[in-house]
Amino acid sequence: MTTIAETRDSRFVSEQEIPEEMRLRKIETQSSYLVNGEIRQWHGEYYDIFSSVLLRDGESLAAKRLGAVPFMTRKESLDALEAAVEAYDRGMGRWPSAPVAERIEAVDEFIRRMAGQKEDVVRLLMWETAKTYNESENEFERTLRYMEDTVDHMRRIDEDNRQFAFDGGFWGQVSYRPSGVVLCMGPSNYPLYETYSLLIPALLTGNTVILKFPRVGVLLHGPIVPAMADCFPPGVVNTIYGDGEAVVGPVMESGNVDILAFMGPSQYVDRLILKHPAPHRLHMVLGLEAKNPAIVLEDADLDLAVSECVLGALAYNGQRCAALKLLFVHESIAGVFLERLQEQVSGIAIGMPWEEHIRITPLADPQRLVYLRGLVEDAVGYGARVVNPGGGEISGTIFYPAVLHRVDERMRVYREEQFGPIIPVAQFRDIAEPVRFMKESRFGQQASIFGKDARQICNVATGILNQVSRININAKCQRGPDLFPFSGKKDSGQGMFSIHDALESFALKTVLAAKDNRENSDIKGFLEKTAM
Ligand code: G3H
C-alpha cells in the first residue's frame, strides 16, 4: 500500500487560501465553565484542541490549533455534581417541582438564544469535526428542530396527562416525573445534535444535568453555555471539561448519578457503569457501537442499491453509528454491483470541509488512520482485494475510501466497527449466510435490505426482526427521521431515542390514583384543572 506524500497533496492548503468566511476568527479559549448558575473563570491548566484539518506551511503540514479548554480535576467535577444534586434536592428542588409549562418556557428561551449563535457554532463544528460546512449547518438546523419538536411533544404529553384512566373501580392520572441527576455525554461525531437531543428531554422532564463535552466537538458549545446560565435556575445545568475518566469517574463513584446518558464506545461506558456503587438504581440511555449490514438480493435495483450503499457507508466518512458497515451481495450480481460501486466511490469528491460538493474530508480523529489501515491490511492478508484505485491510501489525515471485496469471517473488518471510510463487501449464495452473521453479531442496531420481490423481502425482514431495532427496505440505515424510535439491541444500546421516546427514557411515569367514588370526585375535579 502506498502513501501519498503529505506535502504534495494539493487538497491541503494554507490558511490564506481558505475563504475568509470559513476561517476561524480567533483562537477559541474556553476560559470559563458553568457551575451552580455561575460562569466561573478557570485558573488551572488547559489542554489544546487541534483540528484534523491540516494546514500547509511551506513544505510541511500542521494541524490547526483551534483553542483550549480547561483541564479540570476531580474537585471541579465534584462541585458540578454537588450543584446538580442540590438543584434536584431529592426531587424537591425548584426545577423538578416546577410545572411543566414553566420548564417549557425556559427551554423555549434557551432554543431562541441558541439559534442566535448559529454562525459561530457551525464554523466551530466544521473545524472541530472536519464535517463539511453544509453538513455542519444541517446538524445545527436539525438540532434546533429536534429541540422544538421535543418541546411540542412535551406540551402534548402534559395536556394528555390531565386525562384520567379508569379501571377496576379506580381512576388514575399519570405524569412524567424526573429521575434525578443526569450525567450527559454526547459523542464526537455529532457533538451538537446528539448532545442536545439528550439534554433537552432530560431538562424538560425535570432532571438536573452535568454535561461532559466530548474530546472532539467541545469548543462549539462555548457560544451556547451563557444561554444555559441565563435560562435555567442555578445548578440545573453544569458543564465539565477534561480527561473523561478523571473528571467523570469521581462523579459516578459518588453514587449520585441517577441517569447515565451516553453515546460512544461500550468499552468506555462499561468502566463508568462499574464505578457506580448502586448500579441497580442507575438508569441508562446508551447509544453504542453498531455493525449494520446491507443485504443486496439478486433482484435488487442496482442503481438504487449502489447509491444508497455508498451514501450509507461513506456519509461523513463513515463516522456514523448508523453507517452501513458490511455489504452482503448475492453472488449472481456481485460482479456488476462491484463495478458500479467502484465507479461511484472513485467519483467521490475528496477535499476540505469548506469546499462545495465534497463528500470525504479528513478523519475527525487522526488516530483512527492507523487502525483503518490495519483493518485493510488484515483483510488483504486473508485474500480480500481493494477494488477501487487508491482505496485505503492515506494522505495527511485523509483516508481514501476503500472498497474491500471478498470479505469473510476470518477478517477483523467482518466483525469490528470500522467507523471510517471502508466498504467491506461479502458475497453470499444463501440468505442464511447474512442471517447467521446477524444472529452471531454482538451488535443489533439496524440493517438494510435491497430487492424487489415483496414476499422475499418480507421473509428476510421477518427473519431478522429480533436482531436489530430498525430494518430499512431499499434504503440505507440512518437515525432519522427523528420521530422514529432509535435504539439498539444487544451491545448497540439501551433505552430509546427520538422526539417521543427520549422523554420517556428520562422520566419516571408516576400515578395519582383513587377509588372512583363520590367521595373522591372533588379531588378528581381539582386535578383536572391543576397543572402538576
Ligand atoms: O450517528 C448517527 C447520527 O445521528 C446521524 O443521523 O443517521 O439520521 O444521518 P442519521
Side-chain angles (χ1 to χ4, degrees):
M1 198 176 299
T2 57
T3 301
I4 297 172
E6 291 185 356
T7 49
R8 276 190 282 125
D9 191 336
S10 59
R11 288 188 177 91
F12 292 101
V13 297
S14 68
E15 183 118 37
Q16 293 68 39
E17 291 169 89
I18 303 170
E20 178 68 38
E21 67 281 9
M22 296 289 168
R23 291 186 208 162
L24 272 193
R25 298 201 180 118
K26 57 179 173 57
I27 295 293
E28 296 285 338
T29 298
Q30 178 67 48
S31 57
S32 59
Y33 59 105
L34 172 62
V35 172
N36 205 19
E38 286 169 41
I39 301 267
R40 290 191 190 159
Q41 280 309 303
W42 173 247
H43 299 294
E45 280 179 48
Y46 284 87
Y47 67 94
D48 285 335
I49 305 293
F50 290 92
S51 178
S52 65
V53 175
L54 307 178
L55 293 183
R56 181 172 300 287
D57 184 8
E59 281 299 285
S60 61
L61 291 175
K64 178 168 173 59
R65 181 171 170 269
L66 303 176
V69 296
F71 192 70
M72 285 185 169
T73 66
R74 172 190 178 89
K75 179 190 173 310
E76 292 78 36
S77 62
L78 290 177
D79 287 349
L81 174 68
E82 194 184 323
V85 168
E86 270 179 25
Y88 189 66
D89 192 17
R90 295 181 179 249
M92 302 299 205
R94 177 176 153 198
W95 186 253
S97 313
V100 172
E102 196 178 312
R103 294 202 291 263
I104 286 180
E105 199 180 317
V107 171
D108 266 340
E109 176 59 10
F110 173 70
I111 298 172
R112 201 190 58 75
R113 291 272 305 270
M114 183 171 157
Q117 300 301 318
K118 177 176 170 179
E119 203 187 318
D120 287 345
V121 173
V122 170
R123 201 182 295 109
L124 281 165
L125 181 59
M126 179 191 84
W127 276 100
E128 284 196 82
T129 62
K131 187 174 287 169
T132 65
Y133 186 83
N134 288 341
E135 284 177 291
S136 302
E137 200 172 34
N138 288 343
E139 183 172 339
F140 189 89
E141 296 299 340
R142 181 180 182 180
T143 307
L144 287 187
R145 234 178 10 254
Y146 192 102
M147 299 197 299
E148 287 161 358
D149 290 347
T150 307
V151 168
D152 284 347
H153 191 61
M154 188 72 219
R155 209 174 265 125
R156 274 199 298 277
I157 287 177
D158 193 36
E159 278 160 21
D160 291 351
N161 283 348
R162 308 253 175 108
Q163 310 301 315
F164 290 82
F166 298 89
D167 198 19
F170 278 84
W171 54 252
Q173 194 185 42
V174 179
S175 60
Y176 281 31
R177 307 307 305 178
S179 304
V181 172
V182 178
L183 174 60
C184 177
M185 302 174 73
S188 292
N189 57 343
Y190 290 88
L192 187 75
Y193 167 68
E194 304 283 15
T195 300
Y196 293 85
S197 66
L198 295 173
L199 174 70
I200 295 304
L203 290 176
L204 283 170
T205 45
N207 302 286
T208 61
V209 178
I210 302 159
L211 265 180
K212 161 71 177 73
F213 298 121
R215 188 170 53 87
V216 174
V218 53
L219 292 168
L220 62 96
H221 301 279
I224 304 170
V225 170
M228 294 174 187
D230 295 344
C231 297
F232 303 113
V236 171
V237 184
N238 308 278
T239 60
I240 56 176
Y241 303 82
D243 172 57
E245 287 196 63
V247 288
V248 169
V251 170
M252 290 298 287
E253 280 159 10
S254 73
N256 285 325
V257 172
D258 300 289
I259 301 191
L260 177 59
F262 173 92
M263 298 201 95
S266 54
Q267 209 184 334
Y268 179 83
V269 83
D270 279 345
R271 291 201 297 272
L272 291 186
I273 296 165
L274 290 173
K275 289 182 195 285
H276 198 291
H280 59 274
R281 177 161 79 59
L282 182 67
H283 297 256
M284 287 180 274
V285 187
L286 308 176
L288 308 172
E289 303 98 306
K291 186 78 183 172
N292 296 343
I295 302 173
V296 186
L297 300 167
E298 56 269 49
D299 65 345
D301 172 337
L302 285 186
D303 287 337
L304 172 84
V306 169
S307 34
E308 285 291 308
C309 285
V310 170
L311 198 58
L314 297 183
Y316 186 38
N317 306 320
Q319 300 166 127
R320 295 168 54 244
C321 60
L324 282 174
K325 290 170 184 148
L326 179 57
L327 312 185
F328 284 95
V329 182
H330 192 269
E331 62 175 12
S332 63
I333 51 160
V336 55
F337 180 90
L338 267 168
E339 207 173 292
R340 294 198 202 173
L341 180 65
Q342 194 265 108
E343 231 167 69
Q344 273 207 24
V345 171
S346 303
I348 279 181
I350 299 173
M352 294 299 121
W354 52 82
E355 295 175 81
E356 288 283 344
H357 312 303
I358 290 298
R359 298 267 296 279
I360 295 289
T361 55
L363 289 188
D365 179 2
Q367 286 171 12
R368 289 198 76 78
L369 290 162
V370 177
Y371 170 72
L372 293 177
R373 168 173 277 183
L375 283 185
V376 173
E377 283 173 353
D378 169 76
V380 168
Y382 281 107
R385 198 167 63 85
V386 178
V387 295
N388 57 317
E393 290 179 353
I394 293 172
S395 171
T397 43
I398 295 176
F399 189 90
Y400 282 66
V403 178
L404 262 179
H405 183 217
R406 293 208 178 275
V407 166
D408 65 39
E409 57 198 306
R410 294 166 303 163
M411 305 166 190
R412 285 167 46 209
V413 76
Y414 187 86
R415 294 177 301 280
E416 292 179 25
E417 180 190 44
Q418 61 269 43
F419 214 73
I422 298 178
I423 312 184
V425 182
Q427 285 186 202
F428 72 94
R429 179 170 297 174
D430 188 328
I431 192 65
E433 297 165 47
V435 171
R436 182 166 63 86
F437 161 82
M438 294 183 67
K439 185 180 170 196
E440 289 174 0
S441 174
R442 285 172 52 210
F443 306 114
Q445 192 197 69
Q446 297 194 13
S448 293
I449 307 172
F450 293 92
K452 291 198 191 104
D453 182 321
R455 181 185 297 267
Q456 190 186 14
I457 289 188
C458 292
N459 278 343
V460 177
T462 314
I464 56 175
L465 269 175
N466 293 347
Q467 302 302 324
V468 288
S469 298
R470 171 166 161 175
I471 296 168
N472 302 277
I473 297 171
N474 290 318
K476 67 180 172 65
C477 295
Q478 60 184 47
R479 173 170 174 169
D482 291 325
L483 277 175
F484 284 8
F486 178 64
S487 63
K489 292 181 178 158
K490 305 193 230 180
D491 284 358
S492 285
Q494 201 175 125
M496 302 287 277
F497 304 81
S498 89
I499 288 158
H500 293 179
D501 299 292
L503 287 164
E504 291 213 12
S505 296
F506 285 100
L508 295 173
K509 280 188 181 173
T510 304
V511 190
L512 268 174
K515 286 203 171 143
D516 190 15
N517 54 27
R518 193 168 335 136
E519 289 75 19
N520 289 328
S521 67
D522 281 357
I523 301 169
K524 184 166 157 282
F526 187 81
L527 286 172
E528 262 161 346
K529 289 186 249 123
T530 315
M532 302 291 285

